[in-house]
Amino acid sequence: RIGTAGFSYKDWEGAVYPDPKPAGLDPLRYLAGFFDCIEMNTTFYRVPTASSVEKWTRAVEDRPDFRFTFKLYRGLTHGDEEESLAPFLEALRPCRDGGRLGAILVQYPYFFRNTQPNRSRLAQLAEGLADWPTSIEVRDRSWLIPPALEFLTRLGLSICNIDICASRDSVPPGSLVTGPLGYVRLHGRNAEAWFDRKAPVWQKYDYLYSESELEEWVRHVREIAAQADSTYVITNNHFGGKAVANAFQLARRLGIEAPQPPPHLVERFPELR
């Protein structure tokens, strides 16, 4: 499955969504007409309500093959480890009960290294997520040594393969599989903005992958999909609709049937012709 991280961005108007928007246009339903999954990233910033999750699920009720993935609330990964997991999981039940839950993505920060205290913390979280399909995104390469990968496998956590601006300790592109899920996230390669603390957040994700850069990931995705029960490829280089354009290109290269991109997106990104 291929989709984007999020669906509601002001800078997508006129590129992804028609401008002006037709009356009654639901951005989520609109995007679900082109792709078969979306990663909900608002849930990283606040625990959703069950009513919101139910509303999102209803929005795609005419797409029986559509799935959601949800980023775990950051309070459980970037903050107080005593934060309760229960409210988050309870909020996701309408999606799970409706058969639309693809995965929960657990994203840790760069400084979350492969240490014994962090392993213990991760094991505790994995216990609470034991009955939920879960992928873990770590950004420090200390987790890529065989004993650490075996540890993730024992916990039932599927590692997320990422494309991110390279640093000394960052995780390089790859095709690792440690569980039943294959998961890929493409963040872009705008290194100048990524490592600039003064750069606005949108600028860090302002990057359009080239055809050759995408081809590298096509190879990785095929290797992942050959080992995993199901695979999710999420484009997070969202600024200006670039994530949507690259998602269309990836679908085409992977032989995944998808509707033609909307004309206004093709006008913005001639590569889609």
Side-chain angles (χ1 to χ4, degrees), residues 168-228:
R168 183 184 63 184
D169 299 318
S170 63
V171 172
S175 50
L176 296 171
V177 176
T178 61
L181 284 172
Y183 210 105
V184 170
R185 302 186 80 223
L186 307 184
H187 297 286
R189 299 179 179 179
N190 188 350
E192 183 177 355
W194 192 267
F195 296 112
D196 182 356
R197 294 185 178 183
K198 296 181 180 180
V201 173
W202 63 263
Q203 193 173 7
K204 297 178 186 294
Y205 299 95
D206 183 9
Y207 188 84
L208 183 70
Y209 285 91
S210 68
E211 293 282 354
S212 61
E213 289 169 336
L214 291 177
E215 189 58 37
E216 174 190 357
W217 274 103
V218 167
R219 292 193 297 272
H220 287 313
V221 170
R222 285 178 173 151
E223 291 173 2
I224 293 167
Q227 305 172 69

Side-chain angles (χ1 to χ4, degrees), residues 95-161:
C95 184
R96 185 185 190 184
D97 293 347
R100 299 310 188 97
L101 177 65
I104 293 174
L105 176 76
V106 180
Q107 182 193 77
Y108 280 105
Y110 281 100
F111 54 80
F112 189 77
R113 295 180 55 81
N114 174 28
T115 63
Q116 189 55 51
N118 284 342
R119 282 193 179 204
S120 298
R121 180 179 178 182
L122 189 54
Q124 182 178 4
L125 183 63
E127 183 178 357
L129 291 166
D131 296 328
W132 299 75
T134 304
S135 180
I136 175 172
E137 177 180 343
V138 287
R139 296 185 173 185
D140 187 278
R141 69 173 61 213
S142 61
W143 289 98
L144 301 188
I145 62 174
L149 295 174
E150 292 165 6
F151 174 71
L152 297 182
T153 299
R154 290 197 300 273
L155 293 181
L157 297 174
S158 300
I159 195 167
C160 177
N161 292 273

Side-chain angles (χ1 to χ4, degrees), residues 6-21:
F7 65 90
S8 180
Y9 299 99
K10 181 68 176 176
D11 52 84
W12 282 19
E13 294 180 10
V16 179
Y17 304 119
D19 186 19
K21 287 183 181 179

